[in-house]
Amino acid sequence: MKIYREKKTISSEMGNQMAEAAVKQAKQLGIKINVAIVDEGGLLVHFRRMDQAPILSIEIAQNKAYTAIAFGLPTHEWHPLIRNEPALREGIVHTPRLVVFGGGFPIKIGEEIIGGIGISGGSADEDMACCQAALSLIQ
């Protein structure tokens, strides 16, 4: 009887490659971003801050990555889930590290979450585009 399973996780090297892809996309969009890559437990694996990226966005990027792995949902999917539920909408946003706008995605191999990516510095759509550029290395 097998009592363990092999665990997949995001490596620091892959995190670096993903950050590079995100930064390349950000340069094409003309924005400055912060990129956070976390493992499946929400611990930081790789972080990249472009020169002159917003300082406040450092923590937001990390929280987007954490939110994405904590529930297995991209951060942009949160608002539609809570917008018509006043008690949930007004209460859950006080949860530490929860971000309910675009720019955070789980990193998956098949259905298994191996990490998360969070990007902050542009608009939600720009941050999401940078995430998609990074995720294209996995998919």
Side-chain angles (χ1 to χ4, degrees):
M1 169 176 48
K2 188 174 179 181
I3 58 170
Y4 65 91
R5 68 178 181 95
E6 292 185 30
K7 179 177 153 182
K8 296 177 179 81
T9 190
I10 190 81
S11 69
S12 179
E13 180 181 335
M14 179 52 74
N16 182 53
Q17 291 174 19
M18 292 177 76
E20 287 297 322
V23 165
K24 182 178 178 183
Q25 180 66 37
K27 287 178 180 177
Q28 291 176 358
L29 295 171
I31 59 173
K32 309 289 184 179
I33 60 169
N34 293 286
V35 182
I37 310 286
V38 300
D39 65 17
E40 72 285 354
L43 300 174
L44 195 61
V45 172
H46 187 84
F47 183 81
R48 169 88 185 266
R49 178 176 181 250
M50 292 177 69
D51 291 341
Q52 302 167 345
I55 294 169
L56 185 61
S57 292
I58 293 169
E59 188 173 357
I60 294 170
Q62 292 178 38
N63 289 344
K64 286 179 178 183
Y66 181 83
T67 298
I69 64 97
F71 286 92
L73 292 173
T75 55
H76 68 274
E77 291 184 11
W78 270 96
H79 189 258
L81 290 175
I82 65 174
R83 75 172 150 225
N84 295 322
E85 299 286 339
L88 183 59
R89 182 185 66 237
E90 293 168 19
I92 201 162
V93 295
H94 298 290
T95 303
R97 303 195 69 187
L98 176 69
V99 178
V100 298
F101 49 88
F105 287 83
I107 301 169
K108 295 181 177 183
I109 294 180
E111 291 302 310
E112 185 177 357
I113 296 172
I114 64 165
I117 182 169
I119 295 180
S120 185
S123 69
D125 287 340
E126 290 168 333
D127 291 349
M128 290 168 59
C130 293
C131 283
Q132 291 295 345
L135 289 169
S136 72
L137 298 177
I138 301 289
Q139 301 166 349

